[in-house]
Amino acid sequence: YDNQYQWFYQGGNGWWQYDDRTSQELESKHKNGEKVFEILIAGFLYIIDFENMVQVRRNDRSRKRKIRRDLVSIPGVKGVAGLKYS
Ligand code: V3L
């Protein structure tokens, strides 16, 4: 897919890039026009909702984060999947 674009989820005061595998899955579902689907991330089931651009923990809907698809070069990216850029 177009490598200039990446997927990000909201962190405290910034954004985290999704890990490569998850990012590629999001990109392919997005390309296929899927709107809402479940995905396993680090052992938890999350719902990805492209209509509202959020990820939500399936068993605890209060755990909601904004998501975005944007250029890799956007400012405010903290790292990848919790691994901080140093
Ligand atoms: N990919 C990887 N880990 C995730 C993801 C994801 N898409 N979604 C949630 N987690 P929740 P700061 C994040 C992790 O939403 O300092 C960051 O990756 C999430 O990790 O309540 O606040 C950092 O590791 C959290 O540890 O289900 O910016 C960490 O938060 C846990 O799942 C701190 O980031 C519960 O998230």
Side-chain angles (χ1 to χ4, degrees):
Y1 61 98
D2 187 345
N3 261 319
Q4 286 193 300
Y5 283 91
Q6 280 294 337
W7 286 89
F8 303 92
Y9 59 94
Q10 177 183 38
N13 201 16
W15 297 87
W16 292 100
Q17 196 174 310
Y18 278 90
D19 70 272
D20 276 354
R21 187 197 66 82
T22 306
S23 195
Q24 285 174 43
E25 193 164 342
L26 296 192
E27 186 68 7
S28 111
K29 303 257 198 209
H30 187 254
K31 204 177 260 176
N32 289 338
E34 297 195 33
K35 298 243 158 61
V36 182
F37 54 93
E38 291 180 4
I39 191 169
L40 195 63
I41 301 171
F44 292 106
L45 264 181
Y46 288 91
I47 296 163
I48 301 289
D49 177 347
F50 285 149
E51 305 240 271
N52 296 298
M53 290 299 272
V54 290
Q55 74 160 49
V56 191
R57 185 93 78 84
R58 198 182 74 161
N59 68 4
D60 181 353
R61 309 268 167 132
S62 70
R63 292 172 176 270
K64 184 188 290 190
R65 296 169 186 269
K66 293 180 183 171
I67 63 173
R68 63 191 288 195
R69 179 183 187 271
D70 216 327
L71 294 170
V72 287
S73 53
I74 57 163
V77 179
K78 305 176 79 170
V80 180
L83 190 62
K84 274 194 181 147
Y85 291 142
S86 46

